[in-house]
Amino acid sequence: MVAAHAELEARMRARLGGRDCLYVPSCRLGLYLALRHWCPPGGRVLMSPVNDDVILFVVLAAGLRPVQAPLDPRTGSLDPAAVPDAVWSGLSAVLTTNLYGNPDPAPGLRARCDRLGIPLLEDAAHAIGSTVGGRPVGAWGDAAVFSLSKHTGARTGGFLAVADPARRAALAAERDALLRPSRAAGELARLARPHAESAARALRLTRPAHAALRALGAHERPGIRMPLRPAELTRALGAAPALDPFHSWIRVDLHDYRLRTGAARLRRVRTRLAALDAVLDAHRAGTARLLATEYAGPAGPASADGGVQPLFRVPLLVEDRDAAAAALARRGIPVGYLYDPPLDAYAGEAFTDPSPDPAPAAWFARHALPVDPRRAGEALAALRASGARPAAPAPAPGGAR
């Protein structure tokens, strides 16, 4: 296992320009490690409200207070200029999202974090091939986490990348203390069929998917967001920082997030990671096609470095998101990775600080239709045949305050 991990870590290190990488069984476990390692319990973490609800629960499990940031409604990226000075001064860390692979403004965030003396942590789950400011996403933060369940489709695994190699040994020990053994029967089941948890995300809006998941006993999301269960969550907060009290939330869509990866699945990860460049090329080509359409909006997520990012999903902006998603579903094109409502509206002030300007995030979450760029032609044909209309222009970004 150690040799297999070392080979995977070396490949990822080369992609990140030499940053030390630690293999983890999931991005969410890597994020928990980073938050615990870099942030004091009770600290406040600036994050995006248009994000997977699992990430909110990971932050809470780490004993931290989520602080929702204003967004640029045209791209869904963090809008640092709209964060009040009073919010900046109380932060313990900044967590980027790089939503769908579109980079957050990492160079400016890096500079701001350096002035404040706080860590910048990058969630690069959607952005394994994206760049910003001439560097790969994940090469700006004190730490960055990557998923191998997205572009690679390995359905397991991820990396925690660190700027300071001296921290790696302690993080590896912390990882090992959190891992749970994987039974042989479970390994065979995970190899034999795709995860029902992953299917839940990919097919979240279709009735047949809900029925199938109920039959499998894995129906954990009756809607876009999982049930919050506020009374149980309040009790769990009393035990934070700790993973176990939050397990029922953090495991959603990925029940093996903290299980050791067996040898057979590691071979699959190695095969998929070796083919990543071809996959990124396909995503880049489809992204370029979708961003050239009427649904991309006036400031679509083109690369800040002058090229096209290999987006994991392209957030087309449509007037009626649910109707457009249904039109795609009728053509067999699932729509997942929806994050509506934003986390502050979902969780409320009991569990997160609301954004000082929530309207842009609400607008983006309501209109963004994440489309797999590898199915660009099919998706565009379905949308145009259905009469789907582009969203009206987004409100202007919040700007300095």
Side-chain angles (χ1 to χ4, degrees), residues 74 79 99 101 105 169-171 183-185 195 201 226 234 239-240 272 281 295 336 367 381:
R74 302 166 300 179
D79 184 2
L99 187 63
L171 287 164
R183 295 184 177 90
H195 292 161
R201 184 188 299 279
M226 73 176 83
T234 298
R272 295 298 184 92
D281 286 343
Y295 300 113
H367 293 292

Side-chain angles (χ1 to χ4, degrees), residues 262-298:
R265 286 194 296 149
L266 279 173
R267 287 194 293 271
R268 183 173 66 192
V269 168
R270 186 166 57 248
T271 299
R272 295 298 184 92
L273 189 59
L276 178 59
D277 286 329
V279 173
L280 292 176
D281 286 343
H283 277 258
R284 197 174 284 110
T287 297
R289 183 172 181 181
L290 290 169
L291 291 183
T293 72
E294 66 273 26
Y295 300 113

Side-chain angles (χ1 to χ4, degrees), residues 30-349:
L31 179 58
Y32 179 79
L33 282 169
L35 291 167
R36 288 296 313 275
H37 189 84
W38 270 273
C39 302
R44 304 167 69 80
V45 179
L46 188 72
M47 61 182 292
S48 169
V50 180
N51 200 340
D52 196 319
D53 40 29
V54 168
I55 303 304
L56 175 82
F57 296 114
V58 171
V59 175
L60 292 173
L64 303 168
R65 176 74 175 181
V67 177
Q68 305 304 322
L71 301 186
D72 183 333
R74 302 166 300 179
T75 62
S77 296
L78 294 176
D79 184 2
V83 179
D85 288 342
V87 173
W88 282 116
S89 64
L91 295 177
S92 299
V94 173
L95 173 63
T96 66
T97 299
N98 303 293
L99 187 63
Y100 305 128
N102 180 40
D104 282 309
L109 290 169
R110 175 75 272 171
R112 188 71 183 243
C113 287
D114 286 344
R115 291 198 297 274
L116 293 170
I118 61 175
L120 174 65
L121 307 176
E122 297 180 81
D123 182 347
H126 291 179
I128 198 168
S130 297
T131 62
V132 61
R135 297 190 206 172
V137 169
W140 289 93
D142 297 86
V145 289
F146 292 86
S147 171
L148 294 174
S149 296
K150 304 298 187 297
H151 286 83
T152 67
R155 299 189 182 280
T156 191
F159 296 100
L160 171 57
V162 295
D164 180 1
R167 294 181 181 264
R168 189 186 184 283
L171 287 164
E174 292 166 18
R175 174 201 61 187
D176 292 346
L178 291 170
L179 291 178
R180 297 291 180 265
S182 181
R183 295 184 177 90
E187 282 292 307
L188 290 173
R190 280 182 280 274
L191 285 169
R193 65 175 176 83
H195 292 161
E197 297 92 341
S198 296
R201 184 188 299 279
L203 303 173
R204 196 176 294 171
L205 293 185
T206 66
R207 290 180 181 175
H210 289 311
L213 292 167
R214 277 193 295 271
L216 290 165
H219 195 282
E220 298 177 296
R221 290 185 184 270
I224 294 173
R225 296 293 191 190
M226 73 176 83
L228 185 69
R229 310 193 326 264
E232 294 176 54
L233 185 57
T234 298
R235 290 194 293 272
L237 286 174
L243 266 182
D244 288 343
F246 296 85
H247 179 68
S248 64
W249 291 278
I250 296 175
R251 74 175 187 175
V252 168
D253 296 340
L254 193 66
H255 282 207
D256 58 352
Y257 74 95
R258 62 185 298 191
L259 298 185
R260 294 182 184 276
T261 308
R265 286 194 296 149
L266 279 173
R267 287 194 293 271
R268 183 173 66 192
V269 168
R270 186 166 57 248
T271 299
R272 295 298 184 92
L273 189 59
L276 178 59
D277 286 329
V279 173
L280 292 176
D281 286 343
H283 277 258
R284 197 174 284 110
T287 297
R289 183 172 181 181
L290 290 169
L291 291 183
T293 72
E294 66 273 26
Y295 300 113
S303 170
D305 296 333
V308 175
Q309 307 283 9
L311 298 188
F312 173 60
R313 294 291 184 266
V314 179
L316 302 180
L317 297 172
V318 295
E319 190 61 36
D320 188 336
R321 192 269 322 284
D322 290 345
L328 294 183
R330 288 193 294 270
R331 298 285 188 96
I333 304 172
V335 175
Y337 302 95
L338 293 168
Y339 306 126
D340 185 24
L343 291 173
D344 39 8
Y346 162 69
E349 293 186 38

